[in-house]
């Protein structure tokens, strides 16, 4: 039997293609969970997520995201931790890393647009880790695609079996609410965009005649037929298949109107997995182990240049985290103690005395941490699952102010530790090359170097668009390859060689020429 403190924790992320309704759904969860009283707070915090290259907006987004990075609240005896992910596509890596710290996700799909580009990408990340996924089909108040067509599209494009656990009554202007297939229960609400209202009717039997006061006979009959049909096609939910990431339960609703939220939340707390064991390089770490362990999945810089400290977000994997206790930083081989660890309840930060697996604590950091760092009670552990991905844009750093070389080096070092982008060092000359997935990251680096470190640099675009970490079972062959291809080799922060190429074609040619060398798309090639 799992420790009740661990059992009650549900740590997850709500993810979506921008504009599908992630922010609105997050806010409605907080509202239904009683963590906030009126909608609008999270929403106001949401910066412009469009594709504009406006780094001030991004700065604003970073600024507010400490508050919204983790939103914890209690609901029905469970402790819910929602981890926020950035919406902008250039920050995809940040999202991937945050997903390493959750136990499940809710993926929001817009019923008008169906599966979009980011929906597919996010799903593929979930699949990499077998993360359990629930799908919420939002905006059912709009004239979108039909429920059955949406299910077919999602099943096909996201390549996952589905199991609807709620069903819409009507759609667009005829949308009346959502029936919970899972709980065999119908709650009808009046739409209210800002707060939770009591249901106008709640029935367990669709033959209940009082329903006729709210729904037309043909609406009730269609619902009954649909429920029967869905049961025939999809059957009952197999919770194990869901937990293993093989079947995705589906819910319908309209986040803005509060429809379908309670059905989703009530089922979520019942079926979503509690924290589970985690793989470390050395061994599997079980949540119920007595000794504490956790890893850093996100680092947030302080926007105030007078306070250079940063906040490292630590996901607890086992044992119990306690304030003012010394913990072992495995990479740096030293002990650290945290006197002001932060807990995040709704939008409030407070000092936390103890925290459990599934929880995320914020640790003030003066430069000790980088993404992926592990803390334990003394054991040498390194958690897996936080790889760096191959960037697609590479630029060489050119110092614009030789008097500030030290500051530039420190800035580049720290910003890449934070995971803003990746740093590669190329020979000869120890040239620094930054690799990123989007142009925006270069703007952010430039801006922050200037404002936080007083350093100035220019970026010279390189022709590379692909990269692969390279390894070989034959050390000599690898050394030979690295020497021969020196112009194309950058060393990452762990001094692993990375082969940089102009195209996939070039990588493939090189692979053929060097059969003893293995090429990897992520830095986690050891697994
Ligand atoms: P995101 O975080 O995934 O980017 O999406 P967000 O929640 O910000 O929602 C994107 C837009 O979709 C918002 O409109 C929001 O109000 C709207 N929306 C969310 N849920 C529903 C829904 O169930 N039905 C309908 N019809 N719209 C919904 P906006 O105009 O961009 O912002 P706002 O002016 O409403 O704040």
């Amino acid at each position: 039997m799992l420790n009740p403190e661990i059992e009650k924790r549900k740590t997850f992320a709500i993810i979506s293609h921008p504009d599908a309704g992630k922010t609105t759904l997050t806010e409605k969860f907080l509202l239904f969970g009683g963590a906030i009283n009126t909608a609008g707070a999270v929403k106001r915090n949401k910066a412009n997520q469009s594709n504009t290259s406006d780094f001030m907006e991004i700065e604003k987004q970073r600024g507010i995201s400490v508050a919204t990075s983790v939103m914890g609240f209690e609901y029905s005896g469970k402790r819910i931790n929602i981890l926020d992910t950035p919406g902008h596509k250039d920050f995809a890596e940040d999202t991937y890393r945050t997903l390493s710290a959750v136990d499940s996700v809710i993926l929001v799909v817009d019923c008008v647009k169906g599966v979009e580009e980011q929906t597919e990408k996010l799903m593929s990340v979930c699949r990499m880790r077998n993360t359990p996924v629930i799908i919420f089909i939002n905006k059912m108040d709009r004239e979108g695609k039909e429920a059955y067509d949406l299910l077919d599209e999602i099943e096909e494009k996201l390549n996952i079996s589905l199991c609807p656990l709620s069903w819409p009554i009507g759609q667009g202007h005829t949308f009346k609410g959502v029936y919970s297939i899972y709980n065999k229960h119908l709650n009808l609400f009046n739409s209210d965009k800002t707060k939770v209202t009591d249901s106008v009717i709640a029935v367990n039997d669709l033959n209940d005649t009082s329903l006729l006061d709210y729904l037309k006979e043909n609406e009730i009959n269609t619902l009954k037929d649909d429920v029967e049909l869905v049961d025939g096609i999809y059957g009952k939910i197999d919770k194990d298949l869901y937990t293993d990431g093989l079947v995705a339960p589906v819910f319908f609703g309209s986040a803005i109107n509060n429809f379908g939220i309670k059905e989703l939340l009530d089922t979520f707390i019942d079926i979503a997995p509690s924290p589970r064991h985690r793989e470390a390089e050395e061994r599997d770490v079980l949540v119920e182990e007595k000794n504490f362990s956790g890893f850093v999945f996100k680092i947030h810089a302080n926007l105030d240049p007078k306070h250079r400290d940063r906040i490292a977000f630590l996901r607890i994997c086992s044992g119990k985290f306690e304030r003012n206790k010394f913990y072992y930083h495995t990479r740096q081989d030293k002990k650290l103690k945290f006197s002001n660890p932060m807990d995040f309840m709704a939008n409030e930060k407070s000092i936390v005395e103890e925290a459990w697996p599934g929880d995320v604590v914020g640790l003030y950091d003066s430069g000790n941490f980088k993404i992926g760092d592990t803390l334990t009670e003394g054991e040498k552990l390194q958690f897996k699952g936080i790889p760096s991905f191959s960037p697609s844009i590479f630029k060489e750093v050119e110092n614009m102010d030789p008097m500030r070389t030290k500051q530039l080096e420190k800035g580049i070092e720290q910003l890449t530790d934070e995971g803003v982008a990746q740093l590669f060092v190329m020979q000869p000359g120890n040239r620094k090359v930054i690799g990123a997935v989007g142009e925006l990251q270069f703007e952010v680096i430039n801006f922050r170097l200037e404002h936080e470190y007083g350093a100035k640099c220019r970026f010279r675009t390189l022709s590379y668009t692909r990269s692969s970490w390279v390894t070989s079972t034959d050390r000599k062959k690898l050394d030979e390859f690295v020497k021969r291809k020196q112009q194309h080799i950058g060393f990452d922060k762990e001094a692993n060689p990375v082969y940089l190429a102009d195209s996939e074609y070039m990588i493939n040619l090189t692979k053929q020429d060097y059969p003893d060398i293995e090429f990897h798309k992520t830095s986690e090639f050891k697994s």
Side-chain angles (χ1 to χ4, degrees):
M1 192 36 202
L2 209 54
N3 178 333
E5 281 298 342
I6 304 174
E7 181 83 49
K8 72 185 266 198
R9 277 159 165 85
K10 307 277 175 181
T11 301
F12 72 108
I14 300 178
I15 52 179
S16 76
H17 187 94
D19 271 349
K22 173 177 85 87
T23 316
T24 313
L25 182 63
T26 306
E27 190 154 85
K28 291 303 163 86
F29 265 25
L30 296 178
L31 206 57
F32 274 77
I36 55 172
N37 297 322
T38 52
V42 180
K43 193 86 202 170
R44 267 197 301 281
N45 272 345
K46 182 186 154 185
N48 185 359
Q49 291 182 347
S50 65
N51 290 340
T52 102
S53 256
D54 183 346
F55 58 77
M56 281 314 291
E57 281 300 331
I58 297 304
E59 282 299 290
K60 230 161 65 193
Q61 188 167 339
R62 285 194 322 112
I64 55 91
S65 65
V66 161
T68 56
S69 280
V70 186
M71 289 159 279
F73 62 95
E74 299 268 339
Y75 180 77
S76 254
K78 308 280 182 203
R79 158 90 191 213
I80 317 261
N81 292 316
I82 309 182
L83 272 51
D84 194 26
T85 55
H88 200 290
K89 67 174 174 38
D90 284 7
F91 289 86
E93 266 212 65
D94 212 351
T95 299
Y96 299 154
R97 287 190 294 255
T98 298
L99 292 187
S100 71
V102 301
D103 298 309
S104 69
V105 308
I106 294 180
L107 178 61
V108 185
V109 174
D110 179 333
C111 77
V112 183
K113 300 202 173 129
V115 172
E116 300 175 80
E117 192 191 338
Q118 285 290 99
T119 330
E120 288 188 58
K121 284 201 178 136
L122 290 163
M123 185 67 208
S124 63
V125 177
C126 293
R127 186 166 297 111
M128 274 167 50
R129 305 191 178 106
N130 301 325
T131 309
V133 177
I134 284 178
I135 292 168
F136 180 69
I137 301 181
N138 190 27
K139 308 198 186 180
M140 289 302 288
D141 57 312
R142 288 210 177 149
E143 311 292 337
K145 303 182 187 185
E146 277 203 27
Y148 291 107
D149 293 342
L150 277 163
L151 293 176
D152 287 346
E153 178 183 332
I154 293 170
E155 205 151 38
E156 195 193 307
K157 289 198 178 155
L158 298 186
N159 188 20
I160 186 159
S161 302
L162 302 180
C163 184
L165 294 186
S166 81
W167 199 257
I169 305 166
Q171 183 167 6
H173 68 283
T174 62
F175 182 51
K176 294 280 175 65
V178 169
Y179 172 72
S180 169
I181 296 178
Y182 184 73
N183 285 323
K184 295 196 171 36
H185 188 74
L186 179 63
N187 264 323
L188 287 178
F189 296 93
N190 282 326
S191 148
D192 194 311
K193 293 192 168 45
T194 57
K195 58 184 192 308
V196 176
T197 50
D198 288 337
S199 56
V200 290
I201 182 169
V203 295
N204 289 321
D205 181 359
L206 292 180
N207 294 315
D208 195 321
T209 49
S210 55
L211 259 185
L212 283 164
D213 295 339
Y214 301 92
L215 296 177
K216 294 191 198 111
E217 200 173 347
N218 69 327
E219 288 172 327
I220 301 172
N221 288 336
T222 308
L223 176 63
K224 282 195 226 163
D225 290 347
D226 281 336
V227 170
E228 210 179 298
L229 194 61
V230 166
D231 188 43
I233 303 173
Y234 298 96
K236 303 260 168 306
I237 178 78
D238 181 328
K239 286 190 202 170
D240 290 338
L241 290 181
Y242 156 60
T243 322
D244 290 343
L246 298 171
V247 167
V250 179
F251 292 80
F252 291 86
S254 167
I256 195 93
N257 292 304
N258 290 351
F259 285 178
I261 311 293
K262 192 167 159 44
E263 290 73 12
L264 170 61
L265 187 54
D266 286 346
T267 312
F268 170 82
I269 56 164
D270 203 35
I271 65 172
S274 305
R276 294 185 289 175
H277 69 94
R278 297 244 152 195
E279 276 179 61
E281 299 285 353
E282 297 76 6
R283 63 179 184 89
D284 259 13
V285 177
L286 305 177
V287 276
E288 60 266 38
E289 285 178 21
K290 195 174 158 291
N291 285 345
F292 154 81
S293 68
F295 67 90
V296 172
F297 63 94
K298 177 179 179 131
I299 294 176
H300 200 291
N302 198 326
L303 273 191
D304 182 350
K306 284 194 281 296
H307 300 278
R308 192 59 78 62
D309 55 358
R310 312 184 290 179
I311 296 166
F313 290 81
L314 180 94
R315 148 90 198 206
I316 295 161
C317 299
S318 68
K320 182 166 77 165
F321 172 90
E322 287 170 80
R323 182 162 96 99
N324 276 329
K325 196 167 164 181
F326 274 101
Y327 290 122
Y328 177 58
H329 187 308
T330 63
R331 181 176 57 86
Q332 291 197 336
D333 191 24
K334 71 177 182 192
K335 295 214 157 168
L336 296 172
K337 170 172 96 153
F338 305 94
S339 47
N340 297 308
M342 270 186 289
D343 181 32
F344 305 87
M345 286 299 272
N347 273 346
E348 313 233 311
K349 292 180 285 183
S350 58
I351 289 178
V352 62
E353 294 297 332
E354 57 178 49
W356 295 90
D359 285 343
V360 171
V361 291
L363 306 174
Y364 283 105
D365 171 41
S366 53
N368 282 312
F369 288 119
K370 68 183 195 182
I371 306 270
D373 278 349
T374 302
L375 287 182
T376 69
E377 292 200 25
E379 187 181 353
K380 196 102 190 148
L381 281 181
Q382 177 64 46
F383 282 102
K384 288 208 263 191
I386 320 146
S388 298
F389 292 82
S390 304
S392 48
I393 308 175
F394 296 86
K395 300 190 187 203
E396 187 176 334
V397 180
E398 289 180 350
N399 190 355
M400 298 278 287
D401 183 355
M403 304 294 285
R404 311 277 299 169
T405 303
K406 261 204 177 139
Q407 285 81 351
L408 179 70
E409 299 215 330
K410 187 171 172 200
I412 295 273
E413 200 62 41
Q414 289 200 346
L415 293 180
T416 48
D417 274 356
E418 262 180 46
V420 178
Q422 291 177 55
L423 173 66
F424 302 98
V425 175
M426 296 188 78
Q427 300 304 344
N430 281 330
R431 285 171 292 137
K432 289 193 165 54
V433 171
I434 303 281
V437 286
E439 287 291 341
L440 208 50
Q441 280 148 302
F442 292 98
E443 288 184 43
V444 170
I445 291 176
N446 235 330
F447 179 85
R448 291 188 57 193
L449 278 176
E450 199 173 330
H451 288 82
E452 293 170 34
Y453 298 89
K456 266 201 171 140
C457 76
R458 202 165 50 196
F459 289 113
R460 188 168 68 84
T461 306
L462 305 177
S463 60
Y464 308 121
T465 59
R466 296 277 185 288
S467 57
S468 289
W469 277 262
V470 282
T471 57
S472 175
T473 44
D474 187 336
R475 181 76 224 181
K476 245 175 84 189
K477 291 241 162 73
L478 181 66
D479 290 346
E480 205 179 285
F481 174 79
V482 167
K483 212 165 141 196
R484 281 254 187 105
K485 294 283 175 193
Q486 196 193 45
Q487 281 164 288
H488 290 271
I489 298 289
F491 289 90
D492 74 5
K493 286 201 147 179
E494 274 71 46
N496 297 309
V498 181
Y499 177 68
L500 310 179
D502 292 357
S503 62
E504 198 64 36
Y505 177 72
M506 243 186 84
I507 293 206
N508 286 335
L509 273 189
T510 317
K511 272 186 194 167
Q512 283 170 19
D513 289 348
Y514 294 88
D516 297 317
I517 304 295
E518 284 166 43
F519 293 73
H520 314 269
K521 284 222 170 347
T522 77
S523 64
E524 207 161 66
F525 43 76
K526 284 170 230 144
S527 53

